[in-house]
Amino acid sequence: MSQELVYGLHAVQALLKGSPQNVQELMLLRGRKDQRLQKIILQAEKNDIALSFVDRRTLDDKVEEGANHQGVVALCVGKTKVHDEKFLLELLEQLDQRAEAPFLLILDGVTDPHNLGACLRSAEAAGVHAVIAPKDKSAGLTPTARKVACGAAEVLPFVTVTNLARTLQQLQQAGVWIFGAAGEATQDVYQSQLTGPMALVMGAEGSGLRRLTREHCDHLIKIPMAGEVSSLNVSVATGVCLFEAVRQRGG
Ligand SMILES: C[S@@+](CC[C@H](N)C(=O)[O-])C[C@H]1O[C@@H](n2cnc3c(N)ncnc32)[C@H](O)[C@@H]1O
């Protein structure tokens, strides 16, 4: 089984809370006195996880260049929370049984792990049930994405699908309305009804929504822009749209 890294205080804390059994070892910065780090140590000791106290260089070497590990790196196995189409259909069934309207986020080819992480963080905070992305040409749950997600990647289901257009159709058949976010849309997000079963689709950093994805949307919505800049960063736009939906859905 391949080993994965999770680093950063929030991400590691969430990992120890959600799936401590998957953590093989925790590497901590020697001599660092930080309350949050102490909490992590206690949590790890409670779960009999091996701890090693190392110098900064050893931790820096474990993560991508320039990444801020905040003095903690977890080595894990078998913790990948990446789900498939079958999981999504089961999730829809469960929500139906609980009479809960699906609230989904779809990222149509977001490739920057920082953006994926930021979208996951906002989605989790907004109460989204799952985040969906195409398997190919999209950022995956890399250590960077997990770190930026601040723990959201450890708790929010992340579903990858081979054919996004087919998934959109399946969602529509299940009664989910598809709202694509696009700067050139005529419908304003604040005038849209986002209270029912819905999936918000966000486009890629450079190219926006793909043609086929766009064609499968029931509505295209825009965030009105007052200035000269033509678009928002995808994670910012995700936050704006999701929290408008949260507002309408009564929090
Ligand atoms: C950086 S933008 C992509 C810009 C790209 N040039 C385009 O043509 O869409 C990435 C994504 O964020 C969302 N987005 C950014 N600004 C938006 C706005 N003002 N209204 C709605 N969605 C927006 C869209 O989903 C867009 O595809």
Side-chain angles (χ1 to χ4, degrees):
M1 209 178 286
S2 67
Q3 205 174 47
E4 290 177 60
L5 289 185
V6 175
Y7 59 81
L9 291 164
H10 287 108
V12 172
Q13 240 168 2
L15 178 67
L16 288 174
K17 198 169 161 207
S19 43
Q21 69 284 0
N22 296 123
V23 184
Q24 279 193 321
E25 185 186 345
L26 264 193
M27 299 176 81
L28 298 135
L29 184 59
R30 192 184 296 139
R32 180 164 171 177
K33 297 207 176 8
D34 177 305
Q35 265 197 353
R36 287 184 297 174
L37 217 53
Q38 294 309 318
K39 258 194 194 165
I40 286 179
I41 293 172
L42 281 180
Q43 250 179 315
E45 284 174 346
K46 227 171 46 194
N47 289 288
D48 282 333
I49 293 166
L51 296 176
S52 55
F53 294 88
V54 297
D55 55 23
R56 181 172 294 280
R57 174 93 187 268
T58 308
L59 290 182
D60 288 349
D61 286 348
K62 285 275 170 205
V63 302
E64 300 91 335
E65 211 185 322
N68 182 8
H69 45 65
Q70 298 176 302
V72 57
V73 175
L75 311 179
C76 327
V77 283
K79 57 163 292 298
T80 310
K81 267 233 175 75
V82 177
H83 302 277
D84 58 9
E85 288 92 343
K86 190 166 161 267
F87 170 91
L88 185 60
L89 296 179
E90 284 166 5
L91 174 69
L92 290 175
E93 235 175 78
Q94 285 168 17
L95 292 172
D96 189 44
Q97 277 163 16
R98 301 205 300 257
E100 214 175 310
F103 186 25
L104 304 166
L105 173 66
I106 301 177
L107 302 175
D108 184 24
V110 168
T111 51
D112 180 341
H114 291 94
N115 283 337
L116 170 61
C119 289
L120 289 169
R121 184 176 180 174
S122 299
E124 202 276 336
V128 160
H129 294 115
V131 175
I132 303 162
K135 228 173 233 154
D136 295 329
K137 297 186 183 147
S138 289
L141 284 185
T142 62
T144 302
R146 288 181 190 279
K147 163 74 173 39
V148 176
C150 265
E154 319 314 321
V155 291
L156 178 62
F158 183 60
V159 180
T160 61
V161 298
T162 41
N163 184 336
L164 186 60
R166 188 177 60 206
T167 299
L168 293 174
Q169 275 173 341
Q170 284 170 335
L171 289 173
Q172 282 168 324
Q173 280 157 15
V176 176
W177 291 92
I178 312 290
F179 290 85
E184 72 284 4
T186 49
Q187 190 177 327
D188 188 322
V189 61
Y190 306 114
Q191 313 300 328
S192 307
Q193 208 195 325
L194 307 173
T195 49
M198 67 166 281
L200 172 70
V201 195
M202 307 304 297
E205 290 92 347
S207 47
L209 294 173
R210 288 176 294 173
R211 183 186 55 80
L212 206 54
T213 303
R214 193 179 285 262
E215 282 170 15
H216 280 89
C217 291
D218 298 301
H219 301 275
L220 289 177
I221 54 173
K222 69 162 182 221
I223 303 162
M225 307 273 290
E228 292 298 316
V229 171
S230 63
S231 68
L232 295 168
N233 168 278
V234 62
S235 68
V236 175
T238 299
V240 172
C241 294
L242 285 182
F243 279 89
E244 170 57 15
V246 170
R247 189 190 68 78
Q248 292 187 20
R249 295 161 92 89

